[in-house]
Amino acid sequence: MSEFAPKKVAVLISGRGSNMASLIAAAKEEGYPAQIVLVASNNPDAKGLETAAAEGIATCAVDHKAYGKDREAFEKALNEEIVKSGAELVVLAGFMRLLTPWFVKQWEGRMINIHPALLPSFKGLDTHQRAIDAGVRLHGATVHFVTPEMDVGPIIMQGAVPVLDDDTEATLAARVLTVEHEIYPEALALVAAERTCIEGMRVRILGSDDMEEDLIAPVV
Ligand code: GRF
């Protein structure tokens, strides 16, 4: 897939880590352009830390509670771990802490996030219930570069799913999660292979023309 050495990636999580697991699985594939060198969490009890350790990946917990209200002190400690791991890219996968402009600046253009909605709709939390309440027919997930404003950065890839009449928050969340697990490894591969070029709010994908079609996953 890539003529580059795999890019070293730190994945930040806060909970179950199913997206992280999908990235770990993808990174095992021959030729995948990224290698997960660290899984870090602000929550020492995050289930995903166990999953990553069982896969033989280095893990660390930097408990934000130990830093009280001092977000930057927490982020500096976390950043130290990331830098120590040799990571070149940071991937947020259900990382539930707001990041300060300082941290975002350290990883500008090199940090991506997955959000469970079709941005710019439904930024923030409770996206699935809000999508149902708003009566939208399509919902989904977005992978984007991280900028200081939450859920706003340039969009790399989106996946859409239908919202069905009898959907509950749980059924819709499960349908979206399936798409998340497809698009996050694909989007990370593009970034790691240096095939993304940020132009203002748009991300241009460099390389084969037929790739363009894959940037919006089909409705499933
Ligand atoms: C996902 O829905 C992701 O989009 C959001 O947080 C959730 C994390 O789930 N940012 P998991 O920990 O990857 O299972």
Side-chain angles (χ1 to χ4, degrees):
M1 192 187 251
S2 156
E3 70 255 36
F4 299 94
K7 282 264 184 330
K8 293 180 180 161
V9 172
V11 182
L12 306 191
I13 63 168
S14 294
R16 95 194 131 171
S18 71
N19 277 290
M20 171 211 75
S22 77
L23 298 171
I24 292 174
K28 283 184 186 164
E29 281 164 28
E30 170 99 29
Y32 191 77
Q35 177 198 356
I36 317 291
V37 293
L38 176 71
V39 172
S41 180
N42 63 302
N43 169 16
D45 300 323
K47 187 93 186 63
L49 287 176
E50 287 169 33
T51 314
E55 292 283 349
I57 293 170
T59 62
C60 78
V62 180
D63 190 349
H64 67 275
K65 291 198 197 99
Y67 297 86
K69 288 204 165 88
D70 193 346
R71 269 183 202 275
E72 259 193 42
F74 157 69
E75 289 178 352
K76 288 205 163 119
L78 179 63
N79 197 52
E80 224 167 83
E81 295 291 340
I82 298 171
V83 170
K84 212 163 63 185
S85 76
E88 299 156 278
L89 297 172
V90 172
V91 170
L92 307 180
F95 185 67
M96 301 304 284
R97 302 299 298 162
L98 286 176
L99 296 169
T100 67
W102 176 81
F103 188 87
V104 174
K105 185 89 193 145
Q106 305 306 303
W107 296 98
E108 195 176 9
R110 299 185 296 146
M111 176 159 60
I112 63 177
N113 180 46
I114 189 157
H115 180 72
L118 293 172
L119 291 174
S121 294
F122 309 118
K123 295 169 187 158
L125 299 173
D126 302 324
T127 55
H128 307 307
Q129 189 58 53
R130 285 161 58 211
I132 291 171
D133 293 346
V136 296
R137 293 294 185 186
L138 284 177
H139 184 46
T142 302
V143 181
H144 64 94
F145 283 103
V146 177
T147 53
E149 203 181 333
M150 193 184 64
D151 300 333
V152 166
I155 291 171
I156 303 161
M157 194 175 282
Q158 294 186 299
V161 301
V163 180
L164 305 180
D165 288 345
D166 57 356
D167 261 332
T168 62
E169 186 177 9
T171 59
L172 185 54
R175 196 173 307 120
V176 171
L177 196 62
T178 309
V179 166
E180 292 186 38
H181 296 163
E182 285 170 23
I183 66 173
Y184 216 2
E186 283 184 41
L188 174 59
L190 290 175
V191 175
E194 299 181 6
R195 292 190 50 203
T196 54
C197 176
I198 302 173
E199 293 174 349
M201 279 305 288
R202 303 192 71 180
V203 176
R204 197 151 56 85
I205 306 299
L206 312 171
S208 72
D209 291 341
D210 52 20
M211 185 65 211
E212 304 261 333
E213 282 165 30
D214 296 337
L215 297 181
I216 303 171
V219 174
V220 291

